[in-house]
Amino acid sequence: MLRDVLIQKGLSNREAEVAELVSKGLSNKEVANQLFVTEKTVKFHLTNIYKKMNVKSRAQLIVWCLPHLGFVENEVRTETNINQGVAAAAYNNQATQTIPAGHTTVAGATTLPGAQNGIGRNNGNGDIGAGM
């Protein structure tokens, strides 16, 4: 977990919490609200985090944290994706029908090309050769 890695790097529990929330994309104000502290306190923690992590900005902190944050989530996603892949393969093996590309139908009526001009309409001679 990211928090454990950050604590191993020398951050306090609270600093690790702040770094984790920041790396998830929360603003200083959102972090402050979630941790029930002031925005000034969050900024103070971030200053200490930057020094301890040897980074110069919020962006560098996030870049450092993302691989550690994603590591645990990727394991869960991989297992989920494998299970979903099995289900998808079973579904795809079933006989499915595809609709060929063509003209769009609206409310059950098919519009043929040129139908507005009378072309394509059955004017009594649609079955040429039918009586032979």
Side-chain angles (χ1 to χ4, degrees):
M1 190 164 154
L2 175 61
R3 195 173 303 173
D4 297 331
V5 174
L6 292 170
I7 290 171
Q8 289 176 355
K9 289 294 255 180
L11 271 60
S12 69
N13 284 333
R14 187 56 114 183
E15 290 168 346
E17 279 182 299
V18 169
E20 188 173 31
L21 292 172
V22 165
S23 68
K24 290 181 178 179
L26 274 66
S27 67
N28 288 352
K29 187 174 184 176
E30 292 169 328
V31 172
N33 289 337
Q34 190 157 345
L35 298 178
F36 303 104
V37 296
T38 65
E39 205 170 336
K40 185 176 179 181
T41 302
V42 172
K43 290 178 183 179
F44 175 77
H45 286 309
L46 282 172
T47 301
N48 291 336
I49 292 166
Y50 295 160
K51 288 177 187 174
K52 291 180 180 181
M53 298 293 297
N54 197 25
V55 296
K56 296 178 184 176
S57 67
R58 180 185 206 94
Q60 285 184 343
L61 174 64
I62 292 170
V63 168
W64 189 94
C65 289
L66 279 179
H68 301 285
L69 182 66
F71 180 73
V72 173
E73 291 178 17
N74 282 342
E75 285 181 353
V76 173
R77 283 188 193 142
T78 301
E79 186 175 316
T80 302
N81 288 344
I82 289 170
N83 291 339
Q84 288 175 348
V86 170
Y91 175 77
N92 288 334
N93 286 336
Q94 295 176 357
T96 57
Q97 292 183 342
T98 58
I99 300 172
H103 294 284
T104 307
T105 59
V106 178
T110 303
T111 304
L112 299 174
Q116 297 83 3
N117 299 330
I119 302 171
R121 289 188 186 154
N122 188 355
N123 293 329
N125 59 357
D127 291 328
I128 298 174
M132 293 182 187

